[in-house]
Amino acid sequence: MEYNFREIEAKWQSYWSRNQTFKANEKTDKPKYYVLDMFPYPSGAGLHVGHPLGYIASDIYARYKRHQGFHVLHPQGYDSFGLPAEQYAIQTGQHPAITTETNIATYRKQLDKIGFSFDWSREVRTSNPEYYKWTQWIFIQLFQSWYNSATNKAEDIETLVAIFEKSGNENVCAQAEDGIELFTADAWNGFSKQEQENILSKYRLTYLSDTEVNWCPELGTVLANDEIVNGVSERGGHPVVRKKMTQWSMRISAYAQRLLDGLEKLDWPQPLKDAQTNWIGRSQGASVKFAIENQEAQDVIEVFTTRPDTIFGVTFMTLAPEHDLVSKITTAAQKEEVEAYIEATAKRSERDRMADVKTISGAFTGAYALHPFTGEKIPIWIGDYVLASYGTGAVMAVPCGDQRDYNFAKHFQIDIKNIFEGVDVSEAACEDKTAKITNSDFLSGLSVKKATKLAIYEIEQRGFGKGKINYRLRDAVFSRQRYWGEPFPVYYKDGMPQMIAVEHLPIVLPEVEKYLPTATGEPPLGNADHWAWCTETNSIVSKEKINNETIWPMELNTMPGWAGSSWYFNRYMDPANDGAFVSKEAVNYWKEIDLYIGGSEHATGHLLYARFWQKFLFDRGHLPVDEFAKKLINQGMILGTSAFVYRLEGTQTFLSKGLIENQKVQAIHVDVSLVNSADELDIEAFKNHPMNKDFKEAIFKGEKGEIIDGVNDTYVVGREVEKMSKSKYNVVNPDAICEAYGADSLRLFEMFLGPLEQAKPWKTSGISGVHSFLKKMWKLYHHDNTFFVSEEKASKEELKILHKTIKKVQEDIENFSFNTSVSTFMIAVNELAALKCNKREILEPLLVLISPYAPHISEELWCKIGNKESIATASFPIFDANHLIESSKVYPISFNGKMRFTLELPLDFSKEEIEKKVLAHEKTQAQLEGRTPKKVIVVPGKIVNIVG
RNA sequence: GCCUUGGUGGCGGAAUUGGUAGACGCGCUGGAUUCAAAAUCCAGUUCUUUCGGGAGUGUGGGUUCGAUUCCCACCCAAGGUACCA
């Protein structure tokens, strides 16, 4: 009886699906465990072998947890809004929903072949109206909320209105954005509705604002910074301009501190936590106001500094060229120079400015600030090393203590005042914080730490500013000028945004004829006719009926890709609920993800936004926990091994890899499927491949240097490890692997490739190892080609093998070292095969051990040995350390001049047990060696000493 | 520049709390089986050697009876990030 993996795998995949083996259900007493993969965007290219790596790992863990008696939630879904489907729609006119549907079908077919234990009854798709109804609902909740820093949580906007009505904004203005003036309760009550709304929008957690964006007129859309290369769009090379646009933003900055604090209790990879910490970019210091000579009192320059202790070292100020005060304070004499400089910087993209750090440029405004303590005149400069987008867009320049200020001062010959005791600043600034402050009035003689404290105290006492914590984290722009995204549940009444009441959700994406921006530059939704809101019928009506009385225009932007992915993990808990985004019962049972697996590229995107929304929904009482994923693992990328042929430059002759030295050759990617495991090229297949039409008549010289006629020489390709991608012709399709070796082989091999978290190259030739292991395992259960398992009692030796394996595999799974447990299986099967072991007592638990890794073959054999229920419901075997004692290794060590012997034992033994066992061991050992037994001393920890 | 992770045979990678470095797999070599091939099985495979050994986990130091493991300095690679005041 052969190991017919194709038949076995098809059989069990259909069994699992028919019996809903992996369906999760809250009505149970078992402890819960929630294992989740980051859901995929269903691209048209389908899956390659790199994609399932994380899914296999999470599947192994989910199956393991089921064996451990946990009630496991392990769902899967699709992040189905996205750009590629929209671009395909622009090119072909096909509705993105259709493309998406087709792609999902392909994904599902591919995933099903690998034998995952997903509960597909809970599938979510972000582009389904039943799903994005709740994305819209969350948006409305954010709009209806503000962040109260007194209670340190988000609250209903009504509580803010109540405060305003009672006492104005005196006590809450500090948390709001800059530019809010103080008002009293009376003033508030006297404001018009519109004025009140304008004020409230500065507190709401999502708000409209004029944001400067990278606008590409040619593409009709906003581009992210990384979509711009050298000032033109990455795609198409079109010019990009900075443009102010009214956009929705999310006030994530309100959560900066809590997002930072929350990291501490998360079991996430350190690099990922560091990335978030850097991204949030907390810096502690002071904000200080500098008055300007000959200017009105309210025109002050506010700076943020992390070194208030160096305030007496200030010799000039630098403003960002875009700073609001620049035009106001520039003197007539300097006007021309300043304007020229501003124009020059505006031409350079932000990216250029960042890339070019060495060139020092700037201009003097002619104005002077006044030092708050000394009253000295301080020249005000502008320079593009100061960024408008960070802090206040202005710095107090201390050349002796900051290298950039130092360089600027040297370049423009501005004074450099030394305020550090015994430090030479003639060559460079002193940036370390060990020097004592001197030459600084009341700060002289103090250490940096003490001086900083005192400086802030004095600044606050004298009213020049206050201690402040600054964050790099910016509010997130939430509007996209795209079609294929969630529409906002918003209409505009007299230009003011209005939320559509929750009972009228979802606001379904309208049909459009064209997926491009309109002729007038409106987003694609501007093409929709049926896109106006009627407040009488509470429904969407034709745009032509807009009368600005009962029928109003609707929002034309859509939400960004991260909207739907910021809360989907909560939806899996209760995916069909029509009355809430998740029911209280479901979320109180499942609470949060226990294990989340996905790529590290989401560190500062998805994983930060999702934490933000989770905290917000927690604050508003919709969720029981404020972090959504307890443990997170980043799986490494699987890289492709590209193959190359070498064309002798300017000819139609291809040289084999061994011939290319000292030759001028051009390396050309060749489809990896045309190359065998010995790196030899199938020349006929190469010539017939559609991508090689031009090479039909090409000549191939093999390793021996002869022209290949197909008999006596072979063409060897070059190899290189690269990212797996269609354009590099190095993509390996999991379907082909399943067809040739089976899903169990694929699963084992993906784990065997190397540590889960590391990047590693794919080499199909290696799969033969795990495949022949499965065949060997199959043979353990078969004799003379018929199935046979003996009921005989297992021997000591066999039990030792089993328990060694249980222990190792359990440790490996819990440490996520899935690669080493595959080796453990191989060793166990080899050892059992050598003993010709066919005993149920050993073979049955062995199947449970391996079933998370290779579920199909395990189910088949499990069924054959007489089990009626799926192996998924079997308990994990219990490790018994007693079976391991004799496998301990003994070796001599010399310690403090005496000879001792070290005996390695499993750690599960208690001290007394070890003593007893070792004594027995030593007795037999001594008998064998013909000596007297030695005294046994058990040292706590690893080593047992047998003293000679 | 800064932060993070890593560096072990021809290759992917093992090695618990400091205790026989190179498990397991690929590849390679030899053998068995076969008319032959595939498949399967067995043996060998860090380097070096005068066959006694000797060297060896990026480099140089240190701690230790003993270091891939701990400490210090440096080199290299990958990923993240950046005129952040």
Side-chain angles (χ1 to χ4, degrees):
Chain A
M1 228 183 165
E2 283 298 296
Y3 166 45
N4 187 342
F5 55 85
R6 288 188 199 93
E7 200 176 285
I8 293 168
E9 290 177 359
K11 173 178 161 191
W12 289 104
Q13 281 162 15
S14 104
Y15 173 92
W16 295 328
S17 146
R18 240 186 6 259
N19 291 280
Q20 304 203 15
T21 309
F22 305 112
K23 196 170 155 74
N25 184 342
E26 289 84 50
K27 292 186 184 79
T28 165
D29 299 331
K30 288 183 188 172
K32 68 99 187 184
Y33 202 88
Y34 183 3
V35 185
L36 188 67
D37 299 291
M38 291 183 188
F39 64 170
Y41 172 77
S43 83
L47 294 173
H48 62 62
V49 288
H51 293 118
L53 179 73
Y55 306 157
I56 294 170
S58 69
D59 197 60
I60 289 171
Y61 205 75
R63 286 174 182 269
Y64 167 72
K65 278 287 172 184
R66 288 193 197 97
H67 290 314
Q68 293 255 299
F70 285 87
H71 183 217
V72 173
L73 175 58
H74 188 218
Q76 186 59 287
Y78 303 96
D79 189 10
S80 47
F81 272 134
L83 207 50
E86 175 160 333
Q87 277 168 337
Y88 190 71
I90 291 168
Q91 286 159 20
T92 65
Q94 188 177 62
H95 197 285
I98 297 170
T99 319
T100 305
E101 187 72 36
T102 316
N103 293 349
I104 286 178
T106 311
Y107 262 62
R108 178 63 191 273
K109 228 168 116 188
Q110 289 188 292
L111 288 171
D112 279 350
K113 279 195 185 154
I114 304 172
F116 293 119
S117 65
F118 292 131
D119 177 358
W120 283 109
S121 72
R122 292 172 183 258
E123 180 192 300
V124 303
R125 298 181 186 185
T126 54
S127 61
N128 269 3
E130 299 78 43
Y131 178 87
Y132 67 67
K133 168 180 176 177
W134 297 106
T135 311
Q136 292 171 338
W137 177 84
I138 293 169
F139 174 80
I140 295 171
Q141 302 310 304
L142 284 154
F143 183 79
Q144 305 288 16
S145 304
W146 68 294
Y147 199 86
N148 184 344
S149 21
T151 56
N152 210 15
K153 64 175 197 173
E155 291 179 6
D156 195 291
I157 196 80
E158 289 309 317
T159 65
L160 181 65
V161 173
I163 292 170
F164 286 169
E165 283 169 353
K166 208 172 143 216
S167 52
N169 73 342
E170 202 184 345
N171 298 319
V172 284
C173 74
Q175 307 110 43
E177 283 297 296
D178 297 336
I180 297 179
E181 292 181 9
L182 280 177
F183 53 80
T184 62
D186 286 345
W188 169 261
N189 294 323
F191 288 150
S192 72
K193 190 91 187 124
Q194 181 134 2
E195 282 169 323
Q196 289 185 341
E197 265 311 315
N198 278 334
I199 290 165
L200 287 178
S201 79
K202 307 222 163 170
Y203 292 84
R204 294 183 190 273
L205 287 180
T206 185
Y207 58 96
L208 278 174
S209 68
D210 288 335
T211 315
E212 203 164 80
V213 293
N214 305 305
W215 173 254
C216 178
E218 214 73 22
L219 294 171
T221 189
V222 163
L223 297 175
N225 276 337
D226 54 328
E227 292 172 311
I228 303 165
V229 178
N230 299 328
V232 295
S233 69
E234 190 181 23
R235 208 157 36 82
H238 306 296
V240 176
V241 294
R242 304 284 294 167
K243 183 182 168 185
K244 281 213 168 183
M245 282 179 73
T246 305
Q247 309 248 326
W248 286 100
S249 288
M250 287 277 161
R251 208 179 297 280
I252 189 172
S253 59
Y255 280 88
Q257 189 59 49
R258 279 173 65 194
L259 288 169
L260 209 52
D261 295 342
L263 286 173
E264 271 175 39
K265 63 179 176 186
L266 294 179
D267 184 5
W268 287 17
Q270 197 55 44
L272 198 150
K273 287 196 196 180
D274 291 342
Q276 291 209 348
T277 306
N278 290 337
W279 191 260
I280 295 167
R282 178 190 149 114
S283 46
Q284 197 162 2
S287 118
V288 189
K289 287 176 188 146
F290 284 73
I292 306 168
E293 194 186 38
N294 303 327
Q295 290 284 332
E296 291 162 58
Q298 78 262 24
D299 285 333
V300 293
I301 297 175
E302 194 175 343
V303 300
F304 174 75
T305 174
T306 54
R307 297 290 302 275
D309 55 306
T310 62
I311 193 160
F312 289 96
V314 175
T315 55
F316 61 101
M317 311 283 291
T318 316
L319 306 184
E322 300 90 342
H323 197 281
D324 290 341
L325 283 175
V326 173
S327 56
K328 202 163 183 179
I329 61 172
T330 303
T331 57
Q334 293 300 112
K335 198 170 177 187
E336 204 177 317
E337 190 190 334
V338 166
E339 277 175 1
Y341 182 71
I342 292 173
E343 213 189 306
T345 39
K347 272 191 196 149
R348 305 172 72 194
S349 73
E350 203 158 312
R351 189 154 271 237
D352 279 349
R353 268 168 73 175
M354 285 181 203
D356 181 16
V357 185
K358 292 202 180 80
T359 319
I360 296 161
S361 66
F364 179 46
T365 62
Y368 290 88
L370 300 170
H371 193 285
F373 287 110
T374 64
E376 269 175 286
K377 278 172 67 174
I378 307 165
I380 302 172
W381 287 68
I382 60 174
D384 68 2
Y385 79 97
V386 177
L387 304 178
S389 58
Y390 182 76
T392 56
V395 300
M396 60 174 223
V398 184
C400 68
D402 182 290
Q403 195 57 46
R404 289 156 309 167
D405 295 344
Y406 187 90
N407 295 344
F408 195 87
K410 277 268 167 174
H411 189 263
F412 290 107
Q413 284 147 33
I414 305 168
D415 281 350
I416 295 171
K417 179 181 168 189
N418 190 359
I419 53 152
F420 297 112
E421 200 173 287
V423 175
D424 175 26
V425 295
S426 62
E427 288 300 323
C430 164
E431 289 185 317
D432 77 70
K433 294 185 177 176
T434 51
K436 260 190 182 168
I437 307 290
T438 185
N439 216 353
S440 293
D441 195 355
F442 56 88
L443 298 176
S444 294
L446 295 178
S447 67
V448 166
K449 215 173 156 187
K450 282 185 179 162
T452 304
K453 240 177 146 178
L454 183 60
I456 293 176
Y457 176 79
E458 286 293 330
I459 287 165
E460 287 181 355
Q461 282 300 301
R462 304 192 197 184
F464 306 146
K466 56 184 184 293
K468 197 185 169 185
I469 293 161
N470 211 37
Y471 298 94
R472 198 180 79 99
L473 183 69
R474 304 258 75 82
D475 281 348
V477 176
F478 199 65
S479 297
R480 295 291 183 274
Q481 295 70 47
R482 310 249 198 241
Y483 175 74
W484 192 230
E486 298 88 346
F488 284 84
V490 172
Y491 65 94
Y492 289 88
K493 188 172 174 180
D494 300 324
M496 296 299 292
Q498 309 292 324
M499 295 295 128
I500 292 170
V502 171
E503 57 265 33
H504 308 305
L505 300 184
I507 298 303
V508 177
L509 195 59
E511 294 300 320
V512 291
E513 281 195 8
K514 273 171 59 192
Y515 302 100
L516 282 168
T518 65
T520 53
E522 286 178 332
L525 291 195
N527 292 317
D529 297 324
H530 209 67
W531 198 243
W533 187 253
C534 172
T535 49
E536 276 186 330
T537 60
N538 283 315
S539 60
I540 298 171
V541 297
S542 171
K543 213 157 61 174
E544 283 165 24
K545 295 186 186 161
I546 290 174
N547 57 14
N548 291 331
E549 278 170 26
T550 55
I551 296 175
W552 306 90
M554 289 175 68
E555 172 71 52
L556 299 178
N557 287 297
T558 54
M559 299 187 195
W562 56 269
S565 61
S566 292
W567 69 279
Y568 75 108
F569 35 85
N570 287 314
R571 187 65 176 172
Y572 284 130
M573 299 173 186
D574 191 15
N577 196 329
D578 194 35
F581 76 103
V582 59
S583 73
K584 282 267 185 284
E585 299 93 284
V587 78
N588 282 332
Y589 179 73
W590 295 112
K591 292 211 169 63
E592 78 274 81
I593 304 170
D594 292 285
L595 173 66
Y596 195 30
I597 296 188
S600 57
E601 67 273 18
H602 299 107
T604 52
H606 160 59
L607 291 172
L608 200 61
Y609 297 129
R611 291 182 62 218
F612 161 43
W613 278 25
Q614 181 80 10
K615 285 186 187 301
F616 165 72
L617 290 166
F618 168 79
D619 283 356
R620 298 304 317 272
H622 301 297
L623 293 173
V625 289
D626 72 339
E627 288 290 349
F628 75 96
K630 267 192 197 160
K631 182 174 176 67
L632 186 141
I633 289 182
N634 291 131
Q635 91 277 22
M637 212 188 316
I638 290 188
L639 303 164
T641 312
S642 303
F644 295 91
V645 290
Y646 303 96
R647 180 164 69 154
L648 199 55
E649 226 164 70
T651 69
Q652 283 283 37
T653 304
F654 288 86
L655 300 181
S656 188
K657 190 190 170 191
L659 307 175
I660 59 171
E661 218 175 312
N662 303 323
Q663 300 281 351
K664 277 197 172 174
V665 291
Q666 176 194 9
I668 299 168
H669 274 103
V670 50
D671 196 315
V672 288
S673 63
L674 306 180
V675 182
N676 70 11
S677 58
D679 290 356
E680 293 162 355
L681 179 69
D682 182 337
I683 292 167
E684 278 315 300
F686 176 82
K687 285 181 177 172
N688 292 327
H689 196 274
M691 69 176 271
N692 301 325
K693 279 194 241 68
D694 302 344
F695 305 139
K696 275 255 188 288
E697 305 304 320
I699 295 164
F700 289 83
K701 283 195 177 171
E703 280 298 287
K704 293 175 192 158
E706 320 240 339
I707 292 175
I708 294 173
D709 50 19
V711 190
N712 53 19
D713 206 352
T714 53
Y715 187 96
V716 175
V717 298
R719 292 285 197 175
E720 208 172 295
V721 172
E722 299 179 286
K723 205 171 162 176
M724 217 176 253
S725 128
K726 231 177 161 180
S727 62
K728 296 188 172 97
Y729 298 98
N730 59 2
V731 172
V732 180
N733 190 319
D735 298 357
I737 302 293
C738 287
E739 183 54 30
Y741 302 94
D744 285 340
S745 293
L746 173 74
R747 293 169 63 110
L748 282 170
F749 186 53
E750 292 228 354
M751 291 301 105
F752 188 66
L753 273 177
L756 181 58
E757 291 168 87
Q758 247 172 54
K760 49 217 167 257
W762 176 272
K763 261 188 106 180
T764 303
S765 58
I767 203 168
S768 64
V770 291
H771 187 65
S772 58
F773 154 72
L774 286 174
K775 284 196 272 192
K776 267 185 216 166
M777 181 167 118
W778 180 260
K779 275 190 192 157
L780 276 185
Y781 298 77
H782 293 83
H783 256 276
D784 299 331
N785 271 339
T786 47
F787 174 77
F788 180 74
V789 166
S790 142
E791 302 296 332
E792 244 179 288
K793 268 219 132 325
S795 71
K796 271 189 173 179
E797 204 175 358
E798 290 163 338
L799 282 167
K800 198 198 294 174
I801 295 169
L802 174 66
H803 285 272
K804 194 171 73 182
T805 311
I806 296 172
K807 183 174 158 62
K808 185 70 165 63
V809 170
Q810 186 159 6
E811 275 170 10
D812 284 344
I813 296 181
E814 270 158 20
N815 297 324
F816 301 93
S817 342
F818 300 126
N819 53 330
T820 53
S821 41
V822 180
S823 302
T824 309
F825 291 133
M826 291 180 177
I827 294 166
V829 166
N830 276 337
E831 287 177 353
L832 291 172
L835 295 173
K836 296 200 167 29
C837 172
N838 57 359
K839 294 167 187 162
R840 172 186 295 272
E841 196 182 341
I842 303 296
L843 295 186
E844 190 166 302
L846 190 71
L847 281 182
V848 182
L849 285 182
I850 198 167
S851 75
Y853 293 80
H856 307 87
I857 191 174
S858 316
E859 282 280 19
E860 177 71 13
L861 293 168
W862 185 253
C863 170
K864 279 191 165 185
I865 59 177
N867 290 291
K868 296 251 156 48
E869 295 277 305
S870 162
I871 197 169
T873 58
S875 314
F876 203 78
I878 292 163
F879 168 66
D880 181 352
N882 284 309
H883 295 298
L884 256 58
I885 176 69
E886 281 164 35
S887 68
S888 308
K889 287 184 282 186
V890 182
Y891 49 94
I893 54 167
S894 119
F895 188 35
N896 287 351
K898 285 181 193 169
M899 278 306 285
R900 293 183 181 206
F901 295 87
T902 296
L903 181 65
E904 281 191 333
L905 281 169
L907 297 175
D908 311 64
F909 278 64
S910 73
K911 197 178 159 178
E912 291 71 32
E913 251 182 315
I914 295 173
E915 233 153 22
K916 224 165 75 190
K917 298 278 179 188
V918 173
L919 207 60
H921 181 86
E922 171 61 9
K923 264 184 192 165
T924 42
Q925 203 66 31
Q927 219 164 28
L928 275 173
E929 291 167 22
R931 54 176 169 84
T932 48
K934 289 164 180 170
K935 197 184 164 196
V936 172
I937 298 170
V938 175
V939 181
K942 181 171 180 172
I943 295 171
V944 175
N945 291 317
I946 303 173
V947 184

